[in-house]
Amino acid sequence: MTTVYTKPACVQCDATKRLMDSLGINYETVDITKDEAAYTKIVNMGYQSVPVVITESGAWAGFQPDKISTLAA
């Protein structure tokens, strides 16, 4: 399962979710402003910005269309 960690009013988060929706990628969204454990998890992973996308094969931060397209393949 793919998880997208987001926060409100995040342009890159919205772009990531929009592209994933258009490519038919199933994902779960977690708002780090409402889930302290999720916030702590991504900070402990070394990320300092959102979105953070975690897949079965890896993780990344920011809007990364090439990596999103790879998920759809």
Side-chain angles (χ1 to χ4, degrees):
M1 175 58 128
T2 299
T3 305
V4 181
Y5 293 88
T6 68
K7 67 179 185 177
C10 170
V11 174
Q12 290 192 34
C13 299
D14 293 341
T16 295
K17 293 184 288 184
R18 192 169 39 251
L19 181 55
M20 291 176 102
D21 289 342
S22 73
L23 294 173
I25 298 169
N26 293 322
Y27 62 93
E28 174 184 22
T29 303
V30 179
D31 182 341
I32 64 166
T33 66
K34 296 180 180 177
D35 186 333
E36 188 174 331
Y39 172 80
T40 301
K41 176 182 178 174
I42 65 166
V43 168
N44 287 341
M45 291 175 71
Y47 294 108
Q48 297 179 352
S49 64
V50 288
V52 172
V53 178
I54 299 179
T55 70
E56 293 176 5
S57 60
W60 70 83
F63 177 56
Q64 303 230 7
D66 56 329
K67 291 184 179 184
I68 295 168
S69 295
T70 300
L71 285 178

